[in-house]
Amino acid sequence: MHLLTFLPLLLPILLPLTTTAAAAAAAEVTTEYTVTNECTRKTTRGDKIDVHYSGTLQSDGSKFDSSYDRGTPLSFVVGQGQVIKGWDEGLLDMCIGDKRVLTIPPEFGYGSRAMGPIPAGSTLVFETELMGIKGVTKDEL
């Protein structure tokens, strides 16, 4: 049999996949640099970092989480999948003390699943501050 015979049957299955792939390719994390510092050592994949953050929903501005409120930054290894993809990408190349606002589309956040107070399909906005990189001291310029 020819592929053309099956094409009408496959089209409804394949078309949503290509649309989803195109949407994911078009989505990206946007970064606003609010405080930048000069340093000799920036964050790279595999670094254990400490980050203070406040997370809000882009849709209505409601806060869903904040390490500032707890008084303790979040520690994790960046670029290893321990956090959402938007953080793994958006927190690279930072100096200690840098602050960024990351706007993270669902494709780089929690996608189509709800997570606690975060509805499915949400775009997330994080105000972030790099507090430390394990084994690295802040440059005194």
Side-chain angles (χ1 to χ4, degrees):
M1 293 199 169
H2 290 74
L3 180 59
L4 293 176
T5 307
F6 291 105
L7 193 56
L9 299 172
L10 293 176
L11 213 48
I13 296 168
L14 297 177
L15 191 56
L17 295 177
T18 58
T19 304
T20 302
E28 61 182 42
V29 175
T30 58
T31 305
E32 177 188 347
Y33 301 84
T34 56
V35 174
T36 58
N37 297 287
E38 294 292 323
C39 66
T40 56
R41 174 65 162 75
K42 296 183 177 192
T43 56
T44 61
R45 292 184 194 285
D47 283 339
K48 183 164 187 173
I49 63 173
D50 298 323
V51 178
H52 258 310
Y53 67 92
S54 183
T56 59
L57 299 176
Q58 186 183 49
S59 60
D60 64 6
S62 63
K63 181 169 46 172
F64 57 81
D65 192 15
S66 174
S67 68
Y68 289 108
D69 293 349
R70 290 187 298 278
T72 305
L74 179 67
S75 295
F76 65 96
V77 178
V78 70
Q80 302 294 312
Q82 295 179 356
V83 293
I84 59 175
K85 188 175 181 181
W87 272 38
D88 269 344
E89 294 181 8
L91 297 175
L92 294 173
D93 297 316
M94 289 182 78
C95 294
I96 296 171
D98 281 3
K99 295 182 180 184
R100 294 180 179 175
V101 176
L102 305 176
T103 302
I104 301 175
E107 297 84 354
F108 292 89
Y110 296 107
S112 61
R113 66 186 191 273
M115 185 66 61
I118 303 170
S122 292
T123 295
L124 311 174
V125 179
F126 287 96
E127 294 179 20
T128 65
E129 179 179 4
L130 182 65
M131 303 304 292
I133 304 169
K134 185 174 182 181
V136 176
T137 57
K138 184 175 181 177
D139 291 341
E140 299 296 330
L141 301 177

